[in-house]
């Protein structure tokens, strides 16, 4: 059984910062790619940031230069540092991971609200 647990969401004013964490636990032999997705009300879930097992990163255009994805392999944890937050970043953020050669592992989501 593999479990992903996100933390770090909350409410912040425009221009503020938040750091999300996602810790994987359970019967883990290997974690390859990890990613952060988000889903705003009435919109489809979108991939925000992705990091491979070797540390190669990619981002959706709307967050480039503002968000940074990183991982700590010793802790089976992926992070998303979000700076210069905008109201349009408001969404539920989900962690996704490719574990033990299988994809489709999701966390429960954490709410991020950006509002003045």
């Amino acid at each position: 059984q593999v479990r992903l647990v996100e933390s770090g969401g909350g409410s912040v004013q425009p221009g503020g910062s938040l750091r999300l964490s996602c810790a994987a636990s359970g019967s883990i032999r290997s974690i390859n790619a990890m990613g952060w997705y988000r889903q705003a009300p009435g919109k489809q879930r979108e991939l925000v940031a992705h990091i491979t097992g070797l540390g190669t990163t990619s981002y959706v255009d709307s967050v480039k230069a503002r968000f940074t994805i990183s991982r700590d392999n010793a802790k089976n944890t992926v992070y998303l540092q979000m700076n210069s937050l905008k109201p349009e970043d408001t969404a539920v953020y989900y962690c996704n991971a490719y574990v033990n050669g299988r994809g489709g592992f999701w966390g429960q989501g954490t709410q991020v609200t950006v509002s003045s």
Side-chain angles (χ1 to χ4, degrees):
Q1 188 78 5
V2 174
R3 187 180 180 205
L4 301 180
V5 178
E6 300 105 335
S7 61
S11 295
V12 65
Q13 292 186 340
S17 298
L18 286 173
R19 189 192 194 208
L20 306 183
S21 299
C22 171
S25 62
S27 301
I28 297 171
R29 297 186 300 278
S30 64
I31 301 179
N32 295 320
M34 303 184 82
W36 287 96
Y37 289 71
R38 67 185 179 188
Q39 188 166 19
K43 294 188 176 181
Q44 290 189 332
R45 190 174 296 189
E46 67 170 347
L47 176 61
V48 176
H50 178 267
I51 185 166
T52 69
L54 296 179
T56 301
T57 60
S58 60
Y59 302 89
V60 67
D61 285 347
S62 60
V63 308
K64 284 181 180 178
R66 299 189 298 121
F67 290 11
T68 302
I69 188 171
S70 62
R71 61 191 289 169
D72 184 333
N73 292 329
K75 296 181 178 180
N76 291 332
T77 299
V78 63
Y79 306 95
L80 186 66
Q81 177 67 44
M82 305 185 294
N83 299 328
S84 303
L85 281 161
K86 303 176 180 180
E88 50 264 43
D89 295 318
T90 295
V92 178
Y93 284 71
Y94 298 89
C95 172
N96 174 271
Y98 199 87
V99 181
N100 299 340
R102 293 174 51 206
F105 292 99
W106 292 91
Q108 81 286 354
T110 185
Q111 176 70 46
V112 171
T113 302
V114 185
S115 174
S116 56

